[in-house]
Amino acid sequence: MLKRFVLAFAVLALAAASAATYRVTLAQPSVVKGNALKAGDYRLNVQDDKVTIINGKQSVEVPVKIENVEQKYDSTAVRYSDQGGKPTISEIRLGGTKTKLVFTP
């Protein structure tokens, strides 16, 4: 019985460790991988090579490249590029971590 409990706990811990959740605020309407996002607060669920961007009932899942840097970012920052006159998210630097999410065009 104890072995089953330990095994179940280990499986849940592994599943939780492979996914991470962050928060980001978009100060302006933005585009990510062709998906339009309104300005506002979003939750980012990062798992493996994809991120799900969630605001209320709106949810967008896009591929992402996760990069680690040497020093932690002080705050979360969104970097943009101009794609066809629209602000397009190119990367998100996650405050308090050494992680940045890179969105390739």
Side-chain angles (χ1 to χ4, degrees), residues 42-93:
Y42 288 83
R43 189 172 73 235
L44 306 175
N45 291 339
V46 181
Q47 187 168 9
D48 300 326
D49 59 350
K50 67 181 178 182
V51 62
T52 305
I53 304 168
I54 303 164
N55 177 301
K57 294 182 181 180
Q58 181 184 16
S59 174
V60 175
E61 184 176 289
V62 294
V64 68
K65 180 179 177 189
I66 299 170
E67 294 182 0
N68 291 307
V69 297
E70 291 188 25
Q71 291 187 329
K72 285 185 179 182
Y73 294 110
D74 291 331
S75 60
T76 298
V78 180
R79 310 265 315 197
Y80 293 93
S81 62
D82 188 313
Q83 301 286 323
K86 296 180 181 179
T88 302
I89 298 173
S90 58
E91 68 182 48
I92 298 175
R93 298 174 178 186

Side-chain angles (χ1 to χ4, degrees), residues 4-42:
R4 286 185 189 166
F5 176 75
V6 171
L7 180 61
F9 184 75
V11 169
L12 287 173
L14 183 61
S18 66
T21 301
Y22 304 96
R23 301 220 177 262
V24 66
T25 299
L26 300 179
Q28 62 185 351
S30 307
V31 176
V32 64
K33 291 289 189 180
N35 298 286
L37 302 174
K38 296 178 181 179
D41 296 324
Y42 288 83

